[in-house]
């Protein structure tokens, strides 16, 4: 069993005086509050501290001896992605801890009970970073931690301030030893106020404490004991280019966008495994953005390298799509029922929807997890890492971005225009539905290509992305309606076979049909607006 918490903390270098800060600037009288007795309401209420909260003070929280062994791959893939995995004894939270980076000062910490080997669940959550490589001990860090609780006038704990005396030993051959002192300030779990960290930082600055240059104890230990990327272990790290594409070139812009999307996919993997809201959708979007960019800018890259990657991204997006599509469809049908007056809902409509969704969602969830556990997925992660580390750029990628990118966008726009025109000429019915769906896919590809070009092209790419998104949204709503009508027909057939009324299912079908007609009617106007943003050759 694992538990997850979100921690928000900052680390500081300790001045030569080496003592614990008083944080006098935070107390009401400006004299500090060392030695105050522990508040009776500690841990209760998780009350916010606003920027004007008076009477903040420090309360002694004791001393703990902590002993942690950090695990990583031989070439430190976790550390390179700002993640850490450790087995720690001592203190109130002994156990295995996997820490994953989040924006700002936040990190997700997933905990598992103490055991001899790396817990399988944590191994799975780290897979997108380790790519299946063996985890081994790399550093041992022992700390004597002196703790003070930062409390308000009512004794509510707002943050923990900890002074650590650290001894680190590399567990790699010929690794060294390092020791230092550092201060950590961590918001209380729950409803902590991030603005409090700024107030504490100002108070610490007045006492000579400065922000640490290391993101974690592990990062500093690896640096100070010389167990860096290739390490004293002698292991060869994944290849990294000596220098990336020349700034301002089309290759540099494409490489930056691909790198961003690969990071997003890697970061989203643990969230998908944990079933966090919207994670499947966002990971699927990252797959689409990568695949679309490699397709739209295929003239810039070696297709012998990128075409297999595109195929695997399409496979992964499809496997994740079952779960996301079921989520979207079930929500659409439920909302359709909820909008109906009660007297128009005849029979066990809600119960039938719920039973169907439970079954289909479980099947789709199993499909997503099976994909993330497959050898094909691990191979894709390796290919994406190589793609970013050593981008397979062709000679055309050295052209200026302002010249090369508009040409690629113009070609994509032409493909979209052909699809939209074909769909609008097709008579209403299943063939038009299929043609509109193909246009939707082309609109999505153009939108993502414009996103990749936006840093280089500025407002023209932004306008193009925005206008095409409107077209894509209308086409997406239309396609979702087509899928919903098919599902409603199936529910109606099943209800009829069970002797249940089919009135409500038919009513919902008719409403979806009317909504689809309205979307088709609005499409020409949206398309004319998008056409005005067509890229011009530089």
């Amino acid at each position: 069993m694992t538990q997850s918490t979100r921690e928000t903390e900052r680390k500081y270098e300790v001045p030569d005086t080496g003592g614990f800060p008083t944080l006098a600037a935070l107390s009401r009288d400006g004299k500090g509050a060392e030695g105050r007795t522990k508040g009776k309401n500690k841990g209760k209420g998780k009350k916010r501290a606003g920027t004007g909260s008076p009477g903040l003070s420090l309360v002694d929280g004791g001393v703990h001896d902590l002993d942690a062994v950090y695990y990583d791959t031989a070439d430190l893939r976790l550390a390179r992605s700002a993640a850490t995995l450790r087995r720690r004894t001592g203190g109130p939270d002994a156990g295995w801890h996997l820490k994953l980076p989040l924006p700002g000062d936040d990190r997700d910490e997933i905990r598992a009970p103490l055991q001899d080997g790396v817990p399988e669940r944590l191994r799975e959550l780290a897979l997108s970073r380790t790519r299946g490589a063996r985890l081994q001990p790399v550093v041992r860090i022992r700390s004597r931690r002196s703790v003070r609780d930062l409390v308000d006038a009512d004794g509510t704990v707002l943050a923990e301030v900890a002074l650590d005396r650290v001894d680190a030993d590399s567990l790699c051959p010929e690794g060294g030893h390092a020791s230092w002192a550092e201060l950590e300030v961590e918001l209380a779990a729950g409803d902590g106020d991030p603005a409090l960290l700024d107030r504490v930082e100002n108070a610490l600055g007045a006492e000579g404490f400065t922000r640490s240059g290391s993101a974690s104890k592990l990062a500093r230990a690896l640096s100070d004991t010389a167990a860096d990327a290739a390490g004293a272990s002698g292991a060869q790290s994944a290849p990294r280019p000596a220098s990336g594409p020349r700034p301002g070139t089309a290759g540099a812009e494409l490489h930056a966008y691909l790198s961003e999307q690969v990071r997003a996919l890697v970061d989203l993997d643990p969230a998908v495994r944990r079933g966090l809201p919207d994670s499947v959708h966002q990971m699927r979007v990252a797959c689409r953005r990568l695949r679309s960019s490699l397709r739209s800018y295929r003239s810039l890259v070696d297709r012998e390298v990128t075409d297999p990657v595109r195929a695997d991204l399409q496979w992964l997006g499809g496997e994740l799509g079952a779960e996301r599509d079921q989520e979207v469809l079930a929500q659409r049908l439920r909302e359709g029922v909820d909008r109906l007056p009660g007297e128009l809902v005849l029979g066990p409509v809600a119960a039938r929807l719920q039973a169907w969704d439970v079954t289909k969602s479980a099947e789709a969830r199993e499909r997503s997890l099976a994909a993330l556990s497959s050898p094909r997925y691990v191979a894709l992660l390796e290919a994406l890492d190589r793609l970013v580390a050593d981008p397979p750029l062709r000679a055309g990628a050295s052209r200026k971005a302002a010249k090369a990118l508009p040409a690629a966008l113009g070609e994509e726009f032409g493909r979209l225009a052909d699809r939209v025109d074909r769909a609008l000429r097709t008579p209403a019915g299943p063939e038009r539905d299929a043609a509109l769906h193909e246009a939707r896919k082309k609109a999505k590809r153009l939108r993502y290509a414009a996103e990749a070009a936006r840093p280089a092209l500025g407002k023209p790419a932004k306008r193009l992305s925005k206008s095409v998104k409107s077209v894509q949204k209308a086409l997406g709503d239309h396609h979702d309606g087509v899928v919903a009508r098919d599902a409603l027909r199936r529910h109606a057939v099943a209800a009829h076979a069970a002797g249940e009324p089919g009135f409500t299912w038919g009513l919902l079908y008719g409403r979806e049909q009317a909504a689809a007609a309205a979307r088709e009617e609005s499409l020409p106007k949206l398309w004319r607006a998008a056409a005005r943003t067509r890229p011009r050759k530089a």
Side-chain angles (χ1 to χ4, degrees):
M1 175 181 290
T2 60
Q3 293 180 323
S4 176
T5 61
R6 177 163 298 191
E7 65 175 27
T8 305
E9 71 173 20
R10 294 180 186 176
K11 295 180 181 293
Y12 298 89
E13 301 286 348
V14 177
D16 293 339
T17 56
F20 210 98
T22 64
L23 296 182
L26 297 181
S27 66
R28 176 180 296 154
D29 57 10
K31 297 179 181 178
E34 286 288 356
R36 175 174 165 165
T37 57
K38 187 169 289 205
K40 63 180 180 180
N41 294 324
K42 178 182 176 180
K44 298 180 181 179
K46 296 299 183 290
K47 181 177 170 183
R48 276 187 181 270
T51 56
S53 300
L56 302 187
S57 55
L58 292 172
V59 176
D60 188 6
V63 177
H64 305 286
D65 288 316
L66 311 177
D67 191 344
V69 175
Y70 285 77
Y71 285 68
D72 207 331
T73 64
D75 54 359
L76 304 176
R77 296 177 181 183
L78 290 179
R80 283 179 174 160
S81 64
T84 60
L85 173 64
R86 71 187 179 201
R87 183 185 188 276
R88 188 164 80 179
T89 57
D93 61 346
W96 285 89
H97 305 156
L98 174 64
K99 295 190 178 187
L100 303 173
L102 294 170
D105 299 308
D106 292 350
R107 288 189 296 179
D108 258 344
E109 181 177 296
I110 302 98
R111 300 177 182 176
L114 283 174
Q115 64 178 61
D116 289 339
V118 177
E120 187 60 31
R121 180 58 171 165
L122 299 189
R123 194 185 300 274
E124 291 173 355
L125 294 176
L127 178 66
S128 64
R129 290 172 163 84
T130 66
R131 305 189 297 281
R134 187 174 74 89
L135 289 165
Q136 62 188 43
V138 293
V139 169
R140 182 183 184 186
I141 297 179
R142 285 166 288 184
S143 305
R144 167 148 285 203
R145 169 165 291 182
S146 301
V147 177
R148 304 286 190 275
D149 292 324
L150 183 63
V151 302
D152 65 11
D154 297 326
T156 302
V157 177
L158 306 176
E160 179 182 273
V161 183
L163 179 62
D164 291 337
R165 310 288 181 183
V166 182
D167 284 288
D169 293 283
S170 172
L171 300 180
C172 302
E174 301 179 9
H177 172 84
S179 60
W180 69 89
E182 69 177 37
L183 191 78
E184 290 186 3
V185 181
E186 180 178 347
L187 289 180
D191 197 25
D193 182 7
L196 178 62
L197 289 179
D198 293 332
R199 297 183 60 209
V200 172
E201 183 159 311
N202 289 336
L204 288 172
E207 298 184 51
F209 290 80
T210 57
R211 284 288 287 271
S212 173
S214 298
S216 65
K217 285 184 175 65
L218 175 63
R220 180 159 184 174
L222 290 172
S223 174
D224 289 1
T225 63
D228 54 10
S233 64
Q236 294 299 312
S237 62
R240 292 293 184 268
S243 60
R246 185 162 50 86
T249 61
E253 297 299 329
L254 178 59
H255 180 246
Y257 188 74
L258 294 175
S259 299
E260 178 184 350
Q261 299 311 316
V262 170
R263 283 194 300 271
L265 190 149
V266 168
D267 288 345
L268 285 162
D269 172 293
V272 171
R273 294 177 189 273
R274 295 160 63 196
L276 299 186
D278 203 41
S279 57
V280 171
H281 171 56
Q282 293 301 327
M283 190 173 186
R284 192 183 183 195
V285 168
C287 289
R288 284 174 170 168
R289 283 174 167 152
L290 284 164
R291 185 162 58 95
S292 295
S293 298
L294 292 173
R295 173 64 177 81
S296 298
Y297 298 110
R298 64 195 182 282
S299 64
L300 306 180
V301 294
D302 181 352
R303 292 185 61 180
E304 288 188 7
V305 176
T306 59
D307 280 0
V309 175
R310 284 176 51 214
D312 284 344
L313 286 167
Q314 184 176 20
W315 160 79
L316 178 59
E319 296 303 292
L320 297 173
E323 186 173 355
R324 172 59 180 172
D325 292 347
Q326 176 61 26
E327 178 186 338
V328 171
L329 177 58
Q331 181 178 350
R332 188 182 187 96
L333 299 187
R334 283 194 297 268
E335 290 177 350
V337 173
D338 292 343
R339 284 194 293 266
L340 292 176
E343 63 269 20
L344 298 183
V345 181
L346 306 182
V349 174
R352 178 171 289 280
L353 274 179
Q354 182 178 7
W356 160 80
D357 185 34
V358 168
T359 300
K360 292 294 185 181
S361 294
E363 293 172 355
R365 177 67 177 161
E366 184 177 343
R367 182 174 169 182
S368 294
L369 294 178
L372 297 186
S373 301
S374 68
R376 184 174 184 179
Y377 176 62
V378 175
L380 172 60
L381 291 172
E382 288 284 6
L384 291 173
D385 184 69
R386 291 193 298 270
L387 183 73
V388 171
D390 189 15
L393 300 176
R394 299 178 61 189
S398 62
R399 295 177 60 199
K400 289 184 178 180
K403 295 282 187 181
L405 301 186
L409 292 176
E411 291 179 4
E412 286 293 359
F413 193 97
R415 295 186 185 95
L416 172 59
D418 290 343
R419 289 292 185 176
V420 172
D421 290 343
R422 185 184 309 176
L424 293 176
R425 291 195 305 267
T426 303
E431 289 186 4
R432 173 181 274 194
D433 292 340
L436 289 171
H437 182 46
E438 289 301 313
R440 175 202 183 193
K441 291 191 285 187
K442 293 294 186 294
K444 192 171 294 187
R445 182 188 296 169
L446 175 56
R447 175 190 163 196
Y448 293 149
E451 284 182 356
R454 184 174 171 182
L457 304 184
K459 289 184 179 180
K462 179 181 179 180
R463 286 194 296 268
L464 174 62
S465 178
K466 184 177 180 180
S467 65
V468 173
K469 182 178 180 180
S470 298
V471 174
Q472 175 200 323
K473 186 176 185 305
L475 293 171
D477 287 343
H478 182 275
H479 178 67
D480 289 347
V482 172
V483 174
R485 292 204 305 273
D486 182 66
L488 288 166
R489 187 187 65 80
R490 293 174 184 273
H491 281 302
V493 170
H496 177 75
E500 301 166 7
F503 172 82
T504 301
W505 303 111
L507 178 59
L508 291 171
Y509 188 100
R511 289 192 168 193
E512 286 287 0
Q513 211 167 26
R519 292 186 196 98
E520 291 181 30
E521 186 176 348
S522 70
L523 181 59
K525 181 179 179 181
L526 290 172
W527 177 239
R528 286 193 297 271
R532 290 194 290 269
T533 64
R534 181 169 191 151
R536 305 289 183 231
K537 290 185 178 180

